[in-house]
Amino acid sequence: MRHTLRTKFFALLILLVLLAVSTSTWLHVTSVRDAMKKEFEARAVSLARFIALQYVNPLLKNQPQEITKAETIKLWIGEAQHSDAEYVELYNTDGQRLTSYSKPEKRIPDQPDVSPSFIMNLLQGDNQLIARSHSRKQIFDYLVPVELNHTQIGVVRIGLDASGYYNERASAITTNIQFGSVLLLLISFIAYVATPYIIQPIKDLAQTARRFGTGDYQARSSVTSGDELTELSLQFNRMADQIKKLIDNLKEAGHYHKIFPYVIMPQQLFVRIPKHLQKNLGIPYAAILLSRGNDEPQEYHNYIVENGKLTAIETPGGPPKVLSELAELTQTDTDEDTGKLVKRSRLSKKLASIFSDADQNDITDALVFRLENYSKFGYLVLARDDRDFPDTDVRLINGMLGQIVTAISNAQNFQEVLVDERSGLYPRKVLKLALKESGEFAGEDNLWLARLGLDSPVVDPTRGDIHLKVAKFINRHGHEAAPVSDTDHFFVASHDKSWQFLVILSGWDKTDVKTMLQNMLADLKAQGEEYSGTTMSAGVTPIRSDSSADVMFKLSQTALDEAKNRGGNAVCFSE
Amino acid sequence: MFQRITPLSLLLVMLVSLGCSQDNNYNETFQIPENKQNNARFTIKFGRVPSVTVTELLRQNAPLIKHLKQEMNVNITYRFADDYRGIIEGMDRGDYDFAWLGPYSYVLSNCFSDTSAAYRPLVRPVRHDSQGKTSDQYRGIIFTRAGSSINTVSDLRGKSLAFVDRQSTSGFLFPMALIIKSGLNPSSDINYEFLHRHDQVVNEVKRGNYAAGAVYENARLEEYRSIQKANRQLPVLARTSPIPTSPIVVSPEFSERHPDLVEKFTTIMTTLQQTAKGRDILSGLDSARYKKALDSDYDAVKRVLKTVPPEFTASKYSCQGNPQG
């Protein structure tokens, strides 16, 4: 059974009303009972005394057979309408019944006990009276000892009509039930009218959460009811902000994932990952250690970032000494729970030696994640010098690890598979795809598409070897031009039609692009006689998100044509 | 939470409803203990011949009864009889624990042949006599009406006389002894009747229904409030010999079962004059104090009794010829 909040609220109100009415009824009935008790007892005592005093002589003389004056008693209880005594009996102090009289058609019950011993027992006690009920529920049976001038003169038994009490009690109950019903209706109505005001903020919050849950990460609660719900709303918004931030980060990572295989040179990716981990999680030390082989890493590229700055790219040359220790650790300390977390290394602070800045004693906590898909290919090492890693970080990084592994793996694979091994250039198809993807970054980065064209009066255009040499030159020159420490710079080159190359440039502003290309063209010219008379022009167009690859290809061609018209080694822009 | 609140609330409602739906049993309804016996007290029954009406006697005795109840922690009730015969019959049945007896009825009860152990006198009052002196004796008188021709007891021959009761000491036995002593034969020389109460005798003589009457000494004061006026209106023909005051006696059964209460009663009665409250009680009882009573105090009564022929006393209660007498 599903209870809505409103149903529960109603049910609670009804229960409270029932409780209140029941309590009120109980109190009312109790007060009626107490009042009637006093009234009945007072009536019984006064009537008993009144009757007994008429019969002092008979009561105190042992002549029971002579003192029955039923006719006289009849006056006190008889048919008189004002009297509600049903019967009267007189007992002397020896417990002997001296007389008894009841209303016509009323029978005096034998029960409860009125034996002489009971009466005498009663006289010995402190009782003002005792009251009993008998099988005739509508009568209260009173036994009243009567004293005159400190002398006990006897006991009067009186049966009083109790219907007055029961009627009064029934009336109290009825009144309360009627009142309760009205109250219930009233409160139900008020609750019906009022609940929306109470529940609406909760509904609003739920609606916001639903929107957020279905992907609207901008959704924020605006509940300002001024109570605990406002606090809840505030906390929800904070939570949403955090999630949004994380999602943004993931999105960004996702971009890299999409682009990495095609666009970004692996080494830039490898730098970028630690950088972003630092930036988003505030981890001061991060490094990716990669092997080139499929077996246990023997040859590493180590991309180490310290405090947001790339400090080293170690080119192949064998693992740092620490890695051999790491290899030992991985064999013995695999973390079963997290799977990928190889070592949480307070024990192995020496890992910190891979970070040039960090004194290993400063490292308070280090995490080592194994990067592997089908075979081990590296490690992600993170370290802090301020405090331990919170568990949330560990979980978060574990969650991201799959993506990182895929990205790195793809980058490595594509590098091996797609890149022309002779020239290091990507196929034109890949570049076109990368162009489309990198368009998404347009506006954030300095992204350019450059078309480089060669003209040589001496070189036979059909000579592929010359073309390959030029291609190698361009690729090498481009990568050398990119500052090592700046991961925003990248350079992706591709073959195009005969004697033409397409290059995606990132990280250089317009002036720098021009300078860089002019230097490249000059260098090429200086390569020697082999290229004597060869000119190289460049046409550059900015990469825009709203332009298609074909348009940008055409624009770059227009710019190249213009550069050629200006003469060799010119760089022209077409925007 | 709802799932927890619901049964809890229902339970509460049910409990409250239960409180409203008790059955019709009075004791449960009104929560009165059936019979509070935590301060149960023993009940002592006093037997007495009322000299006045029952309610008046209770009123007069109320201070004493209250005092006795407090001091002895008992309940007290009375059994009245119309005359001393009734008292003696009640003693026969064991109706009383204590009884106020006249001197004559004490003597009669004491020689009652069916009683294996005699009622024992405990105390008797010391009263102010007509001269204002205290005395543990009183006298009976034979009086007539002012203006009658009767001057001596002997003049009563052929006259009608009103007595109180056949068991009355001052209202019958002692005056009768005087009459016999004066030479009159009660059975042939006078007509007499029993009116059962002293005030009745005074009233009837005053009205002239009887030529003379026999009562205790101060009975006329009820009517005239002044002894001089009483002597003028109802002159005294003769005064009897001193009669010991009436004893309060205790039954042999009670005496045996509750000797402590008997002792206490005697002590209370004989020390009443020592406190202001006690003196108030005594003045209500027309007494100066109470003294311990002895069986020998009533030897005078026994002697007088022997001078009265048995036919003038109730034969059953006559001690004539009784070894105890």
Side-chain angles (χ1 to χ4, degrees):
Chain A
M1 184 176 160
R2 186 170 177 269
H3 302 287
T4 67
L5 198 57
R6 198 170 190 176
T7 314
K8 289 177 184 175
F9 188 54
F10 264 122
L12 192 63
L13 277 178
I14 288 168
L15 281 174
L16 286 176
V17 170
L18 283 177
L19 197 63
V21 171
S22 307
T23 309
S24 148
T25 309
W26 181 71
L27 289 173
H28 197 160
V29 166
T30 306
S31 72
V32 165
R33 190 182 62 194
D34 292 347
M36 295 300 269
K37 172 178 177 286
K38 284 188 184 130
E39 190 184 323
F40 268 84
E41 288 175 4
R43 210 184 309 161
V45 168
S46 64
L47 197 54
R49 282 188 64 82
F50 189 77
I51 292 169
L53 293 182
Q54 315 303 313
Y55 299 97
V56 178
N57 275 315
L59 283 167
L60 294 181
K61 293 182 178 178
N62 286 324
Q63 297 165 314
Q65 71 280 6
E66 292 181 17
I67 57 89
T68 299
K69 295 182 181 174
E71 288 303 311
T72 315
I73 294 175
K74 192 173 166 183
L75 290 175
W76 310 120
I77 67 156
E79 290 85 1
Q81 292 302 308
H82 63 270
S83 171
D84 54 6
E86 297 281 312
Y87 54 81
V88 168
E89 287 183 332
L90 279 166
Y91 295 83
N92 69 10
T93 49
D94 290 332
Q96 291 172 298
R97 178 157 52 198
L98 301 185
T99 186
S100 64
Y101 187 78
S102 68
K103 278 184 177 175
E105 297 169 16
K106 302 275 183 178
R107 188 174 53 81
I108 302 177
D110 295 332
Q111 296 294 328
D113 187 11
V114 283
S115 63
S117 61
F118 186 86
I119 299 286
M120 290 179 73
N121 209 22
L122 167 65
L123 286 166
Q124 287 183 1
D126 275 343
N127 305 282
Q128 282 274 317
L129 82 170
I130 62 165
R132 297 94 58 89
S133 62
H134 43 67
S135 52
R136 285 162 64 187
K137 303 274 186 192
Q138 295 290 305
I139 289 178
F140 294 147
D141 185 84
Y142 292 92
L143 282 174
V144 187
V146 180
E147 271 194 5
L148 176 63
N149 290 323
H150 307 287
T151 305
Q152 287 186 331
I153 60 173
V155 171
V156 180
R157 182 187 181 199
I158 292 177
L160 287 183
D161 180 7
S163 57
Y165 163 68
Y166 290 110
N167 291 342
E168 192 81 9
R169 198 182 69 168
S171 154
I173 293 170
T174 311
T175 307
N176 274 278
I177 288 173
Q178 285 169 346
F179 173 74
S181 307
V182 172
L183 191 69
L184 200 61
L185 283 175
L186 196 67
I187 285 186
S188 300
F189 175 73
I190 292 171
Y192 181 79
V193 174
T195 39
Y197 291 101
I198 298 166
I199 293 173
Q200 196 55 47
I202 300 173
K203 279 186 168 175
D204 289 348
L205 197 57
Q207 175 65 20
T208 309
R210 195 177 302 120
R211 277 171 55 205
F212 194 88
T214 51
D216 180 1
Y217 301 120
Q218 302 298 332
R220 291 292 182 276
S221 167
S222 57
V223 171
T224 51
S225 52
D227 49 21
E228 288 86 347
L229 289 176
T230 308
E231 176 65 18
L232 178 62
S233 165
L234 212 64
Q235 295 303 332
F236 172 85
N237 286 348
R238 276 187 197 152
M239 184 186 75
D241 287 343
Q242 287 295 321
I243 293 173
K244 172 80 165 47
K245 202 168 161 187
L246 283 174
I247 287 171
D248 285 347
N249 291 339
L250 289 173
K251 256 188 179 174
E252 202 177 339
H255 277 303
Y256 298 143
H257 174 57
K258 282 165 80 178
I259 300 168
F260 290 154
Y262 312 115
V263 180
I264 299 174
M265 290 295 285
Q267 70 174 51
Q268 288 164 337
L269 168 70
F270 303 149
V271 171
R272 226 168 189 184
I273 288 170
K275 247 188 114 174
H276 279 270
L277 285 172
Q278 281 190 323
K279 185 180 163 193
N280 294 320
L281 298 179
I283 299 168
Y285 302 103
I288 285 181
L289 314 178
L290 292 172
S291 75
R292 289 194 65 83
N294 285 335
D295 298 328
E296 186 61 29
Q298 294 297 325
E299 191 179 336
Y300 285 86
H301 293 273
N302 306 322
Y303 302 91
I304 297 167
V305 178
E306 293 177 44
N307 293 321
K309 195 174 170 189
L310 183 69
T311 54
I313 298 175
E314 290 188 13
T315 47
K321 187 185 169 195
V322 68
L323 289 182
S324 56
E325 291 165 5
L326 183 64
E328 287 172 20
L329 282 173
T330 59
Q331 286 170 4
T332 54
D333 295 304
T334 302
D335 189 314
E336 297 286 343
D337 293 334
T338 54
K340 297 203 174 61
L341 176 63
V342 168
K343 183 65 187 172
R344 184 158 191 171
S345 183
R346 281 188 204 85
L347 297 172
S348 184
K349 285 183 178 170
K350 52 182 75 171
L351 279 178
S353 66
I354 65 173
F355 302 108
S356 62
D357 275 2
D359 183 329
Q360 66 182 54
N361 291 327
D362 292 341
I363 300 298
T364 55
D365 194 11
L367 300 177
V368 179
F369 296 90
R370 189 165 54 219
L371 302 174
E372 61 180 354
N373 43 16
Y374 300 109
S375 59
K376 291 180 189 172
F377 58 79
Y379 298 94
L380 171 65
V381 182
L382 305 170
R384 301 195 76 100
D385 56 3
D386 49 353
R387 57 190 167 89
D388 285 355
F389 284 100
D391 288 344
T392 48
D393 277 5
V394 177
R395 281 200 295 275
L396 203 62
I397 296 162
N398 262 323
M400 291 166 65
L401 216 54
Q403 248 177 5
I404 294 170
V405 167
T406 307
I408 294 172
S409 171
N410 284 349
Q412 285 184 325
N413 290 339
F414 276 116
Q415 190 180 36
E416 287 164 8
V417 174
L418 294 177
V419 174
D420 180 351
E421 283 191 357
R422 296 168 301 169
S423 64
L425 265 56
Y426 289 98
R428 186 175 182 276
K429 195 173 137 186
V430 172
L431 184 128
K432 194 174 176 181
L433 201 56
L435 190 61
K436 190 183 164 194
E437 296 290 344
S438 58
E440 287 186 22
F441 293 101
E444 292 179 21
D445 299 322
N446 292 311
L447 277 168
W448 308 95
L449 175 66
R451 184 182 285 275
L452 308 176
L454 273 76
D455 286 308
S456 176
V458 292
V459 180
D460 181 358
T462 58
R463 278 182 60 185
D465 57 333
I466 301 285
H467 182 90
L468 189 62
K469 279 184 180 174
V470 173
K472 275 185 178 172
F473 167 78
I474 291 171
N475 201 25
R476 191 175 66 247
H477 190 95
H479 283 115
E480 283 173 358
V484 166
S485 60
D486 187 354
T487 56
D488 287 337
H489 285 79
F490 62 82
F491 184 92
V492 178
S494 161
H495 304 282
D496 195 37
K497 52 195 175 186
S498 179
W499 291 97
Q500 283 199 7
F501 304 90
L502 283 167
V503 181
I504 294 174
L505 295 160
S506 170
W508 290 276
D509 64 18
K510 193 171 174 179
T511 318
D512 292 337
V513 168
K514 194 166 181 176
T515 308
M516 195 268 275
L517 287 176
Q518 278 173 343
N519 288 343
M520 184 194 285
L521 298 181
D523 280 358
L524 180 66
K525 205 170 175 182
Q527 286 296 312
E529 288 190 1
E530 195 176 2
Y531 303 107
S532 175
T534 303
T535 57
M536 189 171 177
S537 309
V540 185
T541 186
I543 295 172
R544 286 201 177 88
S545 56
D546 54 353
S547 298
S548 69
D550 288 338
V551 169
M552 288 188 275
F553 285 154
K554 201 173 280 178
L555 281 171
S556 64
Q557 186 64 57
T558 310
L560 179 62
D561 291 345
E562 191 189 336
K564 281 182 177 174
N565 289 338
R566 286 189 186 179
N569 302 333
V571 178
C572 283
F573 284 83
S574 169
E575 299 187 28
Chain B
M1 191 171 90
F2 185 75
Q3 282 78 2
R4 264 177 289 158
I5 285 177
T6 309
L8 194 70
S9 311
L10 285 175
L11 192 70
L12 273 173
V13 171
M14 278 168 61
L15 279 176
V16 172
S17 312
L18 207 65
C20 297
S21 65
Q22 73 276 62
D23 71 359
N24 295 340
N25 185 296
Y26 186 95
N27 291 338
E28 284 178 24
T29 307
F30 292 148
Q31 296 165 339
I32 289 183
E34 177 101 331
N35 189 355
K36 285 185 282 184
Q37 286 291 356
N38 47 353
N39 194 20
R41 283 188 300 266
F42 185 72
T43 301
I44 293 177
K45 286 181 287 186
F46 283 165
R48 185 153 193 177
V49 174
S51 54
V52 288
T53 61
V54 165
T55 47
E56 176 60 17
L57 187 109
L58 291 180
R59 193 188 62 73
Q60 287 175 2
N61 280 7
L64 175 67
I65 298 302
K66 188 180 176 187
H67 186 64
L68 288 175
K69 279 172 75 173
Q70 283 174 353
E71 295 298 314
M72 297 170 74
N73 192 30
V74 292
N75 282 327
I76 290 177
T77 187
Y78 272 98
R79 278 289 175 275
F80 291 108
D82 286 337
D83 52 24
Y84 287 111
R85 175 195 290 262
I87 289 287
I88 292 167
E89 283 171 354
M91 291 163 84
D92 192 8
R93 288 192 300 269
D95 281 353
Y96 320 119
D97 300 319
F98 293 87
W100 268 264
L101 292 178
Y104 179 28
S105 49
Y106 164 67
V107 170
L108 285 179
S109 71
N110 211 18
C111 60
F112 183 27
S113 58
D114 291 350
T115 307
S116 56
Y119 272 67
R120 181 161 63 88
L122 294 174
V123 291
R124 62 192 184 97
V126 177
R127 291 206 168 90
H128 296 281
D129 63 11
S130 51
Q131 280 80 42
K133 294 176 184 170
T134 58
S135 168
D136 61 350
Q137 296 175 330
Y138 69 107
R139 293 169 190 269
I141 54 170
I142 300 173
F143 68 99
T144 184
R145 197 158 52 100
S148 73
S149 56
I150 302 163
N151 294 315
T152 63
V153 175
S154 310
D155 295 342
L156 289 172
R157 189 183 300 273
K159 305 289 185 196
S160 62
L161 250 86
F163 288 112
V164 176
D165 193 285
R166 199 179 287 275
Q167 282 83 41
S168 172
T169 320
S170 61
F172 175 69
L173 182 65
F174 274 52
M176 182 58 90
L178 275 182
I179 288 167
I180 291 168
K181 198 177 174 185
S182 71
L184 295 176
N185 184 347
S187 57
S188 58
D189 295 341
I190 54 171
N191 301 315
Y192 61 92
E193 287 181 43
F194 296 104
L195 304 182
H196 301 299
R197 274 163 46 188
H198 292 263
D199 57 336
Q200 200 77 7
V201 172
V202 172
N203 278 329
E204 291 300 308
V205 172
K206 185 185 163 195
R207 285 191 194 116
N209 291 335
Y210 295 91
V215 292
Y216 74 95
E217 207 168 16
N218 288 340
R220 295 170 304 161
L221 289 177
E222 301 287 328
E223 189 66 27
Y224 291 105
R225 304 284 170 196
S226 141
I227 193 73
Q228 288 79 12
K229 196 173 180 186
N231 283 336
R232 272 201 308 276
Q233 298 297 327
L234 300 171
V236 176
L237 295 178
R239 303 178 77 207
T240 67
S241 57
I243 308 167
T245 49
S246 305
I248 299 176
V249 298
V250 63
S251 80
E253 292 82 10
F254 189 87
S255 190
E256 188 180 337
R257 273 185 284 121
H258 304 287
D260 51 330
L261 284 178
V262 173
E263 181 61 35
K264 205 165 187 180
F265 176 79
T266 308
T267 307
I268 291 168
M269 291 304 289
T270 53
T271 56
L272 278 174
Q273 74 283 1
Q274 292 171 5
T275 62
K277 185 181 172 189
R279 285 191 289 276
D280 281 348
I281 293 169
L282 285 169
S283 75
L285 296 172
D286 196 22
S287 302
R289 62 186 175 85
Y290 271 76
K291 63 180 284 188
K292 281 194 176 174
L294 302 168
D295 182 58
S296 59
D297 292 346
Y298 299 94
D299 289 347
V301 180
K302 290 173 189 170
R303 280 196 299 274
V304 169
L305 181 59
K306 283 177 182 169
T307 66
V308 179
E311 61 266 30
F312 299 120
T313 61
S315 58
K316 183 177 178 185
Y317 299 109
S318 172
C319 278
Q320 296 289 335
N322 190 312
Q324 287 184 26

